[in-house]
């Protein structure tokens, strides 16, 4: 097996360039990394509009030799519990052996053959989405209640990036991360 480059320094530089609470996010990740090297990462800083305010949040995905770290940071106005504005940062560490699915969807313009968007969905069994619909039989005259049928889909984490909003390099970066994650989970599954 080939040795991968430790990209920890690149990760912290990318977080710093975002300008969105870099010390807080880096501190949370440093604790979660626990000395493990970074093999790949994605930093996604996204502003959202909430009525007359702009709220920002950031997601950071980090792949280590043994885990997938998912970090999410939000900023909040003061409230009854914390009267001053504050941030909340959570880091979930998922062992690679628990990752059950990596789904990558690419949206490519049929006119230009240009990569427009990419969606990465990762499942490890913590959250599932249920889609139900009424069950039917083949008899068009039947009015009986046949219950419901549906699907249960793993949907623990999804990240969608677009060339129009984040730039083409960000979309390519998400696909590179997805390739590295897929390879890591394939190796883990083979053990």
């Amino acid at each position: 097996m080939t040795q991968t480059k430790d990209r920890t320094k690149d990760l912290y530089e990318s977080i710093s360039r975002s300008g969105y609470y870099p010390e807080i996010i880096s501190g949370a990740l440093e604790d979660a990394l626990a000395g493990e090297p970074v093999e790949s990462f994605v930093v996604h800083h996204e502003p959202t509009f909430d009525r007359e305010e702009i709220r920002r949040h950031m997601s950071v995905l980090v792949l280590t030799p043994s885990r997938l770290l998912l970090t999410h940071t939000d900023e909040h106005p003061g409230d009854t519990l914390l009267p001053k504005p504050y941030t909340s940062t959570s880091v979930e560490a998922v062992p690679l052996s628990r990752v059950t699915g990596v789904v990558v969807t690419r949206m490519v313009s049929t006119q230009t053959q240009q990569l427009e968007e990419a969606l990465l969905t990762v499942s490890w069994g913590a959250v599932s989405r249920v889609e139900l619909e009424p069950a039917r039989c083949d008899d068009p005259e039947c009015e009986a209640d046949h219950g419901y049928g549906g699907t249960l889909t793993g949907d623990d984490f999804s990240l969608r990036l677009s060339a129009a909003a984040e730039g083409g390099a960000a979309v390519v970066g998400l696909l590179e991360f997805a390739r590295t994650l897929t390879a890591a989970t394939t190796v883990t599954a083979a053990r």
Side-chain angles (χ1 to χ4, degrees), residues 6-12 14-15 25-26 28-30 32-34 36-44 59-72 91-96 99 120 122 157 159 174 177 180-181 184:
D6 182 1
R7 300 197 55 213
T8 305
K9 182 179 176 193
D10 299 336
L11 168 65
Y12 291 136
S14 183
I15 292 168
I25 296 168
S26 293
L29 276 169
E30 184 176 356
L33 282 167
E36 268 195 293
V38 172
E39 293 184 349
S40 186
F41 66 89
V42 172
V43 175
H44 181 240
S59 298
V60 181
L61 286 70
V62 178
L63 182 63
T64 74
S66 67
R67 298 176 296 150
L68 170 64
L69 303 178
L70 299 113
T71 306
H72 190 80
V91 182
E92 184 168 3
V94 180
L96 291 177
V99 175
L120 170 65
V122 183
F157 180 82
L159 180 61
L174 181 62
F177 179 85
T180 306
L181 176 59

Side-chain angles (χ1 to χ4, degrees), residues 97-115:
S97 61
R98 294 280 320 270
V99 175
T100 58
V102 178
V103 180
V104 180
T105 306
R106 301 163 193 247
M107 284 64 89
V108 178
S109 168
T110 55
Q111 293 177 337
T112 63
Q113 301 300 305
Q114 193 89 12
L115 178 64

